Amino acid sequence: MNSSTINLALTTDGCGLLTIDLGAIAGNYRRLAAEVRPAAAAAVVKADAYGLGAIPVSQRLYQEGCRSFFVAHFLEAVQLRPSLPQDAAIYVLNGLQPGHEERAAILGIVPLLNSMEQTRAWARTAATHGRRLKAALQVDSGMSRLGLSGEEITGLLAEPALAADIELTLLVSHLACADEPENSANADQLEALREISSRFPGLPISIANSGGMFLGEAFHGSLARPGIALYGGAPHSGGENPMRPVVRLDIPVIQTRTVPAGAQVGYGGALVADRTMRLATLAAGYADGLPRNLGGRGAVYYGGKRLPIAGRVSMDSMTVDISDLPEGTLTLGTPVEVIGDHQTLEMIAEDADTISYEILTRLGRRYQRRYI
Ligand SMILES: *Cc1c(COP(=O)(O)O)cnc(C)c1O
């Protein structure tokens, strides 16, 4: 992409240009699939594929050979279902909610069964349809979030009638600390899952998220479930990020000014100029997903130069200190980099005291989106 195309797009559409590199997502998928082979790799496309567009992302990954997709909510599965061929399985991580059974059965959406109650409801639905229905069984191996406990599994196995109506395709569990390779909780959870798995001979297991895929072969199971690493985020906190960047965000300048020492900058006068300062106001703010706590600590980049965010981030704009750039460098419409070659997703997340997941999933809807 050259900068003149960015300029053109920005001057036509205003608030900012979000470039999503589907080729990089595909490359990351191939990298992750190779990491766990001979196990298979799914794609977690919940929250609109972490804000990047569940439909284009899923369709691209289907082309790469991905056949298992995970969303969080039933509605997400309903929206995605028509965009993928029928041999793609769509799993709903949050489980089967009352009232969704019928549509799930008709649309061929595969629920995760997180409780006895959900399992019985799915079995009843199967009985009314006169056929076995597919499901994944989620077990809680130590995160205390979703899934059946070991005790509940015992109860479930005592109701063999359920097995007549439900075809289990996957035993799922989720790691609480996969981003910390040294954390012993990972091995404890794997052990707990294996224990449960021994009671379901031959049932494939799925435990690894992005981080889990890099914890060694023992964690690969039959199907890995990467999310953040597909989208360029680091699978482990700290250290090298082996994934290709996927997102670029450029925001145009909407005004520049020079202020004297003593001038207040932005809401609350949170910054008072201690010298003559040159400032640029940019066309995006916290309503566009740029965290408010970047005020006074985050930065944007232009031509490789760091431009600190001056004062508070507003709803629709923010002001940056451009005193270090030669005068006249930035003019109306000039795009500056918020995420890109100089500022990675991880860097901005760290400045905002959060994680890459939150930055991505909050990216605003007012940006012009460009898929490459
Ligand atoms: C979100 C999620 C994933 C993907 O996690 P990443 O850390 O983004 O790879 C996998 N499994 C479950 C159950 C999840 O909720």
Side-chain angles (χ1 to χ4, degrees), residues 43-326:
V44 178
V45 295
K46 61 191 180 187
D48 201 23
Y50 293 41
L52 304 185
I55 291 174
V57 166
S58 301
Q59 291 181 331
R60 185 69 185 82
L61 292 177
Y62 184 89
Q63 282 175 25
E64 290 302 317
C66 183
R67 292 295 178 268
S68 301
F69 297 83
F70 287 84
V71 294
H73 300 296
F74 180 67
L75 184 64
E76 295 179 310
V78 171
Q79 287 168 342
L80 182 59
R81 189 63 275 184
S83 305
L84 288 174
Q86 216 46 48
D87 68 337
I90 303 178
Y91 294 91
V92 180
L93 291 165
N94 277 3
L96 187 67
Q97 309 306 315
H100 292 159
E101 296 86 352
E102 193 56 29
R103 265 192 302 165
I106 290 166
L107 295 171
I109 289 166
V110 188
L112 267 70
L113 303 175
N114 288 333
S115 66
M116 260 326 280
E117 197 184 354
Q118 291 175 8
T119 306
R120 290 195 188 110
W122 196 230
R124 278 197 302 274
T125 308
T128 62
H129 280 250
R131 61 187 168 99
R132 289 178 94 207
L133 291 175
K134 287 185 181 168
L137 188 66
Q138 179 156 231
V139 299
D140 175 27
S141 58
M143 188 174 179
S144 312
R145 187 176 72 168
L146 287 169
L148 290 91
S149 67
E151 262 168 52
E152 288 170 312
I153 294 290
T154 304
L156 181 112
L157 288 168
E159 295 186 37
L162 295 180
D165 292 320
I166 298 174
E167 178 192 346
L168 287 181
T169 59
L170 206 56
L171 187 66
V172 172
S173 199
H174 191 51
L175 296 166
C177 307
D179 60 325
E180 302 168 18
E182 308 304 327
N183 197 317
S184 61
N186 294 318
D188 294 346
Q189 284 197 254
L190 180 63
E191 186 48 38
L193 179 62
R194 281 192 167 149
E195 163 77 27
I196 292 167
S197 162
S198 68
R199 303 161 77 182
F200 296 88
L203 185 59
I205 74 165
S206 175
I207 185 169
N209 67 335
S210 300
M213 297 173 83
F214 293 90
L215 294 177
E217 203 187 328
F219 287 85
H220 295 168
S222 298
L223 182 68
R225 306 185 309 270
I228 194 70
L230 290 171
Y231 312 117
H236 288 157
S237 42
E240 282 282 292
N241 181 359
M243 309 319 298
R244 259 170 77 183
V246 165
V247 165
R248 189 182 163 93
L249 178 60
D250 297 281
I251 308 290
V253 171
I254 47 176
Q255 188 158 32
T256 58
R257 71 180 67 249
T258 302
V259 298
Q264 293 191 25
V265 181
Y267 279 118
L271 177 75
V272 176
D274 58 356
R275 61 200 145 88
T276 300
M277 287 178 86
R278 275 185 305 110
L279 301 171
T281 302
L282 309 179
Y286 62 78
D288 303 293
L290 302 175
R292 195 164 166 276
N293 69 352
L294 286 174
R297 45 198 276 196
V300 300
Y301 284 76
Y302 185 81
K305 264 220 155 56
R306 185 175 192 276
L307 309 175
I309 296 171
R312 291 187 189 154
V313 172
S314 296
M315 182 188 290
D316 314 291
S317 66
M318 61 184 182
T319 300
V320 298
D321 181 357
I322 58 169
S323 306
D324 284 351
L325 290 178

